[in-house]
Every structure is written in C-alpha cells, then in structure tokens.
Amino acid sequence: MRKFILICLLIVAVFISRPKWEPYLSPYVDLSFLDTVTASFHTVINRPEVQKAADTIGQTVETMAIQIDSLIDGNESAKQLATIDFQNNELPDGVFSVHRIEIGDTMEDVMAEAGEAKRVTMNEYGSKWHTYHKDYANYFMVSYNQEGLVNGLYTNQDLISSTYNISMDTPKAEVRKQFGEPIDKLRKGMTFYLMDDKDEYDLYFKDGQYITIFYDKHEKDTVTAIQIVTDELENQKHTLYGSASPELKEGFEFQLFDLTNAARVQHGLPTLTWDEHVRETARKHSSDMANNHFFNHTNLEGQSPFDRMLADGIYFTYAGENLAYGQYSSIFAHEGLMNSLGHRENILNNDFSYLGIGVAFNEESQPYYTENFFNK
C-alpha cells in the first residue's frame, strides 16, 4: 500500500511540474496524450494532502531533468541541452554567462560566486583581467569597468551557459546555425580590419557585446573557449593590438601561463610550476625576434632553444619550446597554439613540470611569445 501511495504521489508531482520539463521533451516526444491524462488527474491534485506531498517531490524534478538524455535518440544538440545542470548553470538573462556571471554583474556578484581573484593583470584593452579559479579548476577571467561592473569574460573550461543551444563541445556548424555567419571585419575608428581567416574562431556582435567563440580543431571543431567583451571595452582598443607597455608584457606572460594550466586541468593533467629563471631566457628570445624581425626557434646565431637554456644555466632532462607571433592577446595566442598539433603536445605533455614565458613587442605593438617548458 505504501509503495502504491508513493507511486501515485510521484505521478501527481510529475504532472504538477509539467511546465518545467515539457519544453525539453516536446521537440522529441509526442506528448499530446498527456492532455487527456492530465484532465483525469485534475480533481486528484486539488486535494490538499496530495498537493503538499506532491510539492515536496516536485522540488526534485529539475535535477531529474538531466536524465532525459536517455530518452533522446541520437540527437546531439538535444543531448547538450539535456545535460545542463539546472542547479548550477541557470540560463542567463543575456546571451551567455560564465560561471553564472554575466556582463553587467557587479564585482560583489563575482566575489560571492568565486571569492577573491587569484591574479590581476593588464590586458590589451587597457583594462585588467581578474583571474578566478581553484587550483585552475573553474577557471575564468573577468574585466570590470570604472563602476565595478563586468565588461569582459573569458573561460576555456566547461562553465558556459547560454540562452542559445551553445556550450562547451558544441560543433561549429551548430554555433553558426544558431548565430548565423560570423563577422569578417572589425571597425576601429575609420579603419576596417579584416579578421583572421584560419577558421579557428568566430566573432559575433549581439546585444552590445562582441562574442568570440573559439574552436578546437583536434576535437572535431567544437567549442573550446569563449570571450565576451562589451562594445565600449572593445572600442578602448584603437587598433587590433593593445598599446605596448611593461605592464602589458607581464600581463600577457602570466595570462598565458594561467591559460596553459587551465587547459591542462581541463584535460586531466597536473599543473606546471612557474620558473622565473627560464622566463628570462624566453624574454630574451622574444626580444631578439621582435627587434631583428624574425620568427624561428633557432636564433640568428644558430642557437636552439636548448642551447639558450643551457647558456643561461638552466639544466633539464627534458625540454620544449612554443612560439607565437602576431596574435591579438594571450588568449588568442593560447587558442592558436592549442590548434597547432606540435605546440598542443607541449602544452599537454605530462612529462613537463616547469614553464616560463617571455613576451616582447615590435614597433607596431605586435607581441612575440616564447614558452619554455622543461623538467629537471
């Protein structure tokens, strides 16, 4: 008898909460038969004792919604929607949120969600990235305007929620189906800059926000990261590149280090330790390339990365080097390196323990990046 009553209460709770789960199933299952059944239950659910018990059970229905994946037969985009964590990744009011943070939220909102920033560094917009994570899990960056409101967001981890059917691992084709064709040029003052055509990211402008969606070529061209900035913040940068400065150089270095560790954690690998000594080696090579207008692992004196490290007294059992040039920021540099197989292998190499990064700018403020990985 007890089991029968519980079953009845569960059925009633499901019908009471129908508006919550019906939108997720109706595109895939014909639910018209429920209208007749619902009418039959109408008199039952109005009884106070049933209502009280059903309300208690109904509170758990949202968390059960993630189980509807088993009811969806092979529909990939529907599976992405079905696996939303309704408790922790509520749908945003705007187009996107990152770790439940949206453009326009306050610094207090962010701190309540993620605590104090782990690092604050200059970015290419003349603003600062505030970096939040817990041992590089739940990693994201936030920029604030002068009023302390969020005007920029970035993450390369599974922290994205969207009013569109877009999340981490969404195929590029699905993004373009939802958003349409991306922007192919960006206006700065009276100049139009053509965007990079490598097809590694798409840029969109929606609701006063520039949304850059990055794709992973080695994961079937699926979403791997997202950056969102307001048009006001974007317009603070008068060309494609930020203004070169010692603060921006150091900002790019530490941002690229943090991005690397966040990617490693996302792939189940241990984090790397910052090495100040090899950072100087990396800085010297970036400066050499910027000042002498070349881009190569071997410098003009014929020295390899390993020669340069040994010359600086850095002894290693295993080492590697990544180079990047011309990307607009540390974010674009990192995403580009992740899409280059050899560089990606260095970033995700379990045999490395230490990393130092050096940045330098040429006369056009274009950054050169050198990453030196090694193990002692």
Side-chain angles (χ1 to χ4, degrees), residues 172 176 182 196-202 213 215 217 221 339:
K172 180 194 298 181
R176 292 181 176 179
D196 198 324
D197 61 355
K198 290 182 180 179
D199 225 23
E200 297 179 356
Y201 64 88
D202 285 337
I213 301 176
Y215 304 107
K217 287 186 174 182
D221 266 346
N339 272 316

Side-chain angles (χ1 to χ4, degrees), residues 200 215-222 224 267 335-345 348:
E200 297 179 356
Y215 304 107
D216 192 328
K217 287 186 174 182
H218 304 289
E219 296 290 343
K220 300 180 180 179
D221 266 346
T222 54
T224 189
H267 287 81
E335 299 301 336
L337 290 168
M338 285 292 288
N339 272 316
S340 172
L341 188 58
H343 299 103
R344 180 191 186 94
E345 288 174 349
L348 302 180

Side-chain angles (χ1 to χ4, degrees), residues 1 24 28 38 50 92 113 124 127 137 140 158 169 183 186 203 216 232 238 249 255 298 325 338 349 366 370:
M1 183 64 177
Y24 302 106
Y28 315 104
T38 301
V50 175
E113 192 67 43
E124 67 277 16
S127 177
F140 65 107
D158 192 9
D169 301 324
I183 296 171
L186 191 62
L203 177 64
D216 192 328
E232 182 181 19
H238 301 300
K249 175 172 71 172
Q255 289 158 23
T298 302
Y325 157 65
M338 285 292 288
N349 193 324
Q366 296 173 323
T370 300

Side-chain angles (χ1 to χ4, degrees), residues 185-202:
K185 62 179 70 70
L186 191 62
R187 180 176 177 176
K188 296 287 185 180
M190 300 302 293
T191 304
F192 283 93
Y193 292 90
L194 294 178
M195 304 309 295
D196 198 324
D197 61 355
K198 290 182 180 179
D199 225 23
E200 297 179 356
Y201 64 88
D202 285 337

Side-chain angles (χ1 to χ4, degrees), residues 189-324:
M190 300 302 293
T191 304
F192 283 93
Y193 292 90
L194 294 178
M195 304 309 295
D196 198 324
D197 61 355
K198 290 182 180 179
D199 225 23
E200 297 179 356
Y201 64 88
D202 285 337
L203 177 64
Y204 295 96
F205 184 73
K206 290 185 177 295
D207 295 342
Q209 302 169 17
Y210 285 98
I211 302 168
T212 307
I213 301 176
F214 297 91
Y215 304 107
D216 192 328
K217 287 186 174 182
H218 304 289
E219 296 290 343
K220 300 180 180 179
D221 266 346
T222 54
V223 175
T224 189
I226 187 169
Q227 176 182 278
I228 309 163
V229 299
T230 63
D231 55 350
E232 182 181 19
L233 182 59
E234 179 62 47
N235 290 330
Q236 287 181 197
K237 186 158 60 85
H238 301 300
T239 69
L240 289 181
Y241 299 97
S243 299
S245 69
E247 293 78 17
L248 184 59
K249 175 172 71 172
E250 183 171 84
F252 279 171
E253 291 169 347
F254 282 120
Q255 289 158 23
L256 194 51
F257 174 76
D258 290 340
L259 288 161
T260 300
N261 272 337
R264 287 173 67 89
V265 167
Q266 181 74 2
H267 287 81
L269 296 170
T271 58
L272 301 174
T273 299
W274 177 264
D275 189 273
E276 189 67 26
H277 194 175
V278 82
R279 174 207 212 176
E280 293 306 315
T281 303
R283 275 186 168 181
K284 285 189 290 185
H285 187 59
S286 289
S287 294
D288 190 15
M289 290 189 294
N291 294 333
N292 293 295
H293 307 98
F294 75 96
F295 183 67
N296 202 302
H297 290 286
T298 302
N299 66 18
L300 300 180
E301 297 176 358
Q303 291 179 314
S304 71
F306 316 112
D307 295 330
R308 293 191 295 272
M309 290 173 69
L310 290 172
D312 285 342
I314 299 166
Y315 301 100
F316 52 87
T317 58
Y318 192 58
E321 183 178 82
N322 283 351
L323 302 179

